[in-house]
Amino acid sequence: MKSALFTGAAVTLGLILASIGSAQANAASPADAGSSAAAHQPTAQARQHGIEKAGDAYMGWLANNSMTPAAAAPAVMAPAATVEGIDVASHQGNVDWTAQWNAGRRFAYVKATEGNYYTNPYFAQQYNGSYNVGMIRGAYHFATPNDSSGANQATYFVAHGGGWSRDGKTLPGALDIEYNPYGATCYGLSASAMVSWIRDFANTYKAKTGRDVPIYTNLDWWTRCTGNSTAFNTTNPLWVAKYASSPGTLPGGWGFHTIWQYSSTPIDQDRFNGDMSRLQALANG
């Protein structure tokens, strides 16, 4: 009888403990909840731009007054030397890299990660495919600064395709910091907090790879959300988004841009500000 009573008590206690454990597991910390894919519901505006779920964000997703789409590529003004490229994300699926090469594209950036909860399911085909066809390629990270620290997201990025190697064909990973498709434009951060977040990401990325991360942004967002900070213009290459006939006024006191995203038609198109030897120098570090 004692054995039966003991067994019954143990089962009851086990059920109670299991119930408590389940409740604790379901009651995730605020940080965990904020970083989960389920916590990211695209705004109505983001849905209009093809962002249906967490992870769908991509470079230049919001075309606003500072990024009016251009119908055609701007003319190259002599004697400036440039190299044409593209950037891609999961929206493009499996890319025909031979066709892109034949169209004159010589470099590509591929979305690797978003926040600390998403990796691009097409990353291998896009990242390796561009490399195999002869392009110089790199990876980029779509930042969600309200989810976790800059160090946390830089670490996640490096661990999921955002690393760098001195093979002459790999560009340093880029930080895509722009409009929030899941809520408040500046992710609920003050300008000083945003600058601190970017610095945390940049410092961590450099500690892990030895490279200064290029920063992709645009004048409007950078002015609104960092107070047009000049904290990075001597260390981090600028990748400016401006869908027009010229890059226009640069954000953050940068004296020049390194890459210019000038159109999203028929795919995100980019222009490196220099000739192939300078692009290779950026890859080599």
Side-chain angles (χ1 to χ4, degrees):
M1 179 64 71
K2 287 183 179 179
S3 176
L5 288 173
F6 179 80
T7 301
V11 170
T12 300
L13 179 60
L15 289 173
I16 292 171
L17 292 175
S19 177
I20 293 171
S22 177
Q24 289 175 334
N26 290 332
S29 68
D32 290 337
S35 63
S36 69
H40 297 77
Q41 295 301 317
T43 63
Q45 188 176 38
R47 290 182 185 279
Q48 292 174 354
H49 290 81
I51 299 175
E52 298 293 336
K53 61 185 183 302
D56 280 353
Y58 55 91
M59 282 186 165
W61 72 268
L62 179 60
N64 67 5
N65 291 335
S66 69
M67 295 173 63
T68 304
V76 177
M77 302 300 291
T82 60
V83 182
E84 294 293 326
I86 60 172
D87 59 86
V88 297
S90 62
H91 292 271
Q92 281 74 39
N94 291 323
V95 176
D96 185 343
W97 289 109
T98 299
Q100 294 299 325
W101 177 269
N102 291 340
R105 279 63 181 258
R106 294 297 179 262
F107 73 95
Y109 263 98
V110 177
K111 180 179 177 181
T113 52
E114 178 178 311
N116 62 358
Y117 52 83
Y118 170 87
T119 57
N120 175 7
Y122 293 94
F123 181 76
Q125 192 277 343
Q126 295 173 346
Y127 192 70
N128 296 330
S130 54
Y131 178 94
N132 290 337
V133 82
M135 292 186 188
I136 298 176
R137 51 73 196 273
Y140 80 83
H141 173 78
F142 191 97
T144 55
N146 57 324
D147 288 326
S148 61
S149 69
N152 173 271
Q153 292 192 29
T155 299
Y156 184 80
F157 177 44
V158 172
H160 295 88
W164 174 78
S165 59
R166 187 178 279 110
D167 58 5
K169 297 290 292 292
T170 303
L171 295 163
L175 171 63
D176 177 1
I177 188 88
E178 57 173 305
Y179 305 101
N180 180 11
Y182 309 113
T185 296
C186 299
Y187 300 84
L189 274 63
S190 66
S192 61
M194 184 65 76
V195 171
S196 294
W197 191 97
I198 296 169
R199 183 179 291 111
D200 194 27
F201 186 102
N203 288 346
T204 302
Y205 188 82
K206 185 165 187 177
K208 290 183 174 297
T209 66
R211 297 303 305 273
D212 288 307
V213 62
I215 296 175
Y216 169 96
T217 194
N218 66 78
L219 177 63
D220 176 69
W221 186 91
W222 192 262
T223 300
R224 281 205 243 175
C225 299
T226 73
N228 208 21
S229 173
T230 59
F232 306 97
N233 62 32
T234 61
T235 52
N236 300 88
L238 172 65
W239 184 348
V240 66
K242 177 75 171 180
Y243 295 1
S245 59
S246 72
T249 301
L250 301 179
W254 269 279
F256 61 91
H257 67 281
T258 296
I259 302 175
W260 168 28
Q261 186 191 61
Y262 61 82
S263 178
S264 61
T265 306
I267 196 169
D268 284 357
Q269 298 186 59
D270 303 285
R271 184 168 284 169
F272 177 76
N273 187 16
D275 62 17
M276 180 58 76
S277 69
R278 299 313 304 158
L279 181 62
Q280 290 170 334
L282 178 63
N284 285 320

